[in-house]
Amino acid sequence: MAQLLFKDVNKVYPNGYHAVHDFNMEIKHGEFICLVGDSGCGKSTTLRMIAGLEDITAGEFYIDGKLANQMSSRDRGIAMVFQSYALYPHLTVAENLGFGLTLEGIDADVIDERVAATAKILGLTDYLERFPRQLSGGQCQRVAVGRALIRKVSIFLMDEPLSNLDAKQRVTMRSEIKQIHRSVGATTIYVTHDQTEAMTMSDRIVVMRSGGYVQQIGTPYELYFYPKNLFVAGFIGEPPMNFIRGTVENGHFKTETLDLDIKPIVKDANAIEGKKVVFAFRPEAVEVYGVEKKGAAKPAAKTEGYVISSNVDLTELLGDTTNVYANVGNVNVILKINPHHTPEMGSEFKFVIPHKAAYLFDAETEEVIESGLERH
Ligand code: ADP
């Protein structure tokens, strides 16, 4: 386990491209941290600076309180797992696992012991004599994780390690990596562009945006329910949060077709009078109103909130929920609703956005003004 500290860490590549801006963070012993964001936002660059594979242009980076900017990769106590697992095709699983230790000149007996112990953790004991071509993608990835694990380092760095696997294998490996982390306890920094991976695996998530800017650092719960800005709100959650642009007039959120009293969700409506804002809510936060199976009337929703009239463009039954693509005025929204109370395609219906599920963002700065959750 190790503790990492970043103070205003920046990366400018030799061609002048500023890939990471003022990265500040303290990572605690044994934490599982995901760096998440779209392709090119500086995640791998950050990871490579931690590994010592890229110089830090400005700022300070500490490992366990020791300034590590100039520390060699070897001395950092780091093992890395990459997207392409690059196993040696002519070596068996056991030999692939032990290869790094052999290079370090460790005794064969010790290597055998550690290979056996690592294989046990990863469920590879029955595959030790196989060659990589005789393994599934998931098993290969497990060997790659094993090669890092066997080195007993205090920091694990993983760069999109699951992106070559199919969807089902990804889900399995996700929980396996999490379990390994729980049993080994190494501080882990995991890069992914997949927000579901980040949400399910992390103690905390760092959301980055193109240009190398950190947008928010927080637990999955904090990011989901208390996003600091429109970028994070739109990035975390699938389908994404719905955004409706309008203006605050006389304490009401107004668009051409909507007029919603914002006093139930903001502390001080006067402070934002006249502002251009974005009203937002998550697809699953709504309650549909007056739709019953086969058109029978369902009692009106009891939740206090905004009642919105809408038209259904399209419905997608997923089984556990139905995605309803609807329009509010001329804005498209997605609602995730109970499949037994799905309005018919083309029909008009009403839904309620509970006050506690409504958010307001400043349309210019993109920062959150208020989330209804804080007031309900
Ligand atoms: P991510 O991992 O988030 O996809 P990267 O950290 O790989 O992003 O890259 C961040 C940005 O830095 C990208 O715009 C990329 O093109 C640029 N970049 C990466 N490596 C270099 C390099 N060696 N020289 C110049 N620019 C680079």
Side-chain angles (χ1 to χ4, degrees):
M1 289 204 282
Q3 181 238 14
L4 309 181
L5 178 65
F6 303 83
K7 280 191 182 169
D8 294 326
V9 167
N10 280 267
K11 175 67 186 179
V12 182
Y13 279 110
N15 68 356
Y17 186 74
H18 200 153
V20 176
H21 288 258
D22 295 340
F23 193 101
N24 281 295
M25 183 175 190
E26 184 178 346
I27 299 178
K28 298 187 207 73
H29 290 288
E31 259 194 302
F32 197 114
I33 300 289
C34 276
L35 306 182
V36 71
D38 294 327
S39 177
C41 70
K43 306 180 294 292
S44 298
T45 302
T46 305
L47 203 71
R48 292 168 61 80
M49 286 193 286
I50 300 171
L53 300 172
E54 289 291 349
D55 289 336
I56 293 169
T57 313
E60 290 160 11
F61 169 56
Y62 296 86
I63 300 177
D64 288 332
K66 249 189 171 157
L67 189 64
N69 289 43
Q70 306 296 338
M71 199 185 275
S72 77
S73 281
R74 271 185 160 270
D75 296 335
R76 294 187 187 205
I78 278 170
M80 207 158 167
V81 181
F82 293 97
Q83 176 176 350
S84 54
Y85 22 82
L87 303 180
Y88 299 108
H90 57 290
L91 299 185
T92 63
V93 168
E95 288 163 344
N96 265 289
L97 286 173
F99 190 74
L101 302 184
T102 312
L103 285 187
E104 285 176 31
I106 292 175
D107 282 353
D109 289 353
V110 177
I111 295 179
D112 287 349
E113 224 171 79
R114 275 166 64 181
V115 165
T118 306
K120 196 167 168 206
I121 294 174
L122 292 162
L124 289 169
T125 306
D126 294 339
Y127 301 90
L128 285 172
E129 297 316 313
R130 289 205 191 176
F131 289 94
R133 64 173 181 280
Q134 299 167 311
L135 302 176
S136 70
Q139 289 163 338
C140 285
Q141 192 58 51
R142 242 177 271 167
V143 178
V145 172
R147 279 196 312 199
L149 202 60
I150 202 166
R151 294 185 45 217
K152 293 196 172 166
V153 294
S154 50
I155 306 167
F156 266 144
L157 304 180
M158 302 197 183
D159 196 350
E160 305 253 4
L162 309 185
S163 51
N164 286 334
L165 304 182
D166 65 37
K168 214 167 177 181
Q169 285 176 326
R170 274 209 299 273
V171 174
T172 314
M173 273 306 283
R174 209 159 74 190
S175 58
E176 284 185 15
I177 289 180
K178 200 62 198 140
Q179 272 164 15
I180 291 167
H181 174 253
R182 213 168 287 147
S183 62
V184 175
T187 306
T188 303
I189 299 140
Y190 185 107
V191 161
T192 178
H193 63 274
D194 179 343
Q195 53 103 11
T196 311
E197 240 168 70
M199 287 294 281
T200 50
M201 300 176 86
S202 314
D203 293 316
R204 285 189 299 156
I205 301 173
V206 180
V207 181
M208 296 179 74
R209 185 175 190 172
S210 64
Y213 296 96
V214 172
Q215 297 293 293
Q216 189 169 353
I217 300 175
T219 63
Y221 187 90
E222 284 164 350
L223 295 194
Y224 196 82
F225 291 105
Y226 297 98
K228 275 191 178 162
N229 59 34
L230 276 177
F231 182 84
V232 176
F235 190 84
I236 302 283
E238 180 55 41
M241 197 182 254
N242 292 300
F243 296 139
I244 302 175
R245 288 175 184 275
T247 317
V248 177
E249 291 172 30
N250 302 320
H252 284 225
F253 170 76
K254 288 204 174 165
T255 70
E256 272 176 28
T257 53
L258 284 179
D259 183 337
L260 310 174
D261 183 357
I262 58 170
K263 286 187 278 300
I265 62 166
V266 297
K267 273 192 284 290
D268 186 2
N270 286 335
I272 54 169
E273 183 61 29
K275 253 194 187 309
K276 286 194 168 61
V277 294
V278 179
F279 178 87
F281 59 97
R282 291 218 179 264
E284 73 281 10
V286 302
E287 283 180 31
V288 172
Y289 197 64
V291 178
E292 187 53 282
K293 217 170 169 182
K294 307 263 183 250
K298 182 190 166 210
K302 290 192 193 79
T303 317
E304 276 200 4
Y306 299 111
V307 178
I308 310 274
S309 299
S310 183
N311 287 295
V312 182
D313 290 333
L314 183 74
T315 63
E316 287 174 344
L317 175 70
L318 300 176
D320 56 342
T321 59
T322 300
N323 285 342
V324 172
Y325 295 76
N327 57 69
V328 175
N330 45 13
V331 179
N332 295 322
V333 296
I334 304 178
L335 313 176
K336 216 166 147 176
I337 65 180
N338 182 333
H340 301 296
H341 300 293
T342 301
E344 301 277 328
M345 246 191 265
S347 68
E348 281 185 18
F349 74 114
K350 285 183 181 172
F351 63 90
V352 182
I353 304 167
H355 289 145
K356 67 172 188 286
Y359 297 79
L360 267 192
F361 295 88
D362 184 318
E364 274 150 32
T365 65
E366 300 196 347
E367 299 291 314
V368 71
I369 296 169
E370 194 97 26
S371 75
L373 250 187
E374 283 172 42
R375 304 191 38 82
H376 291 272

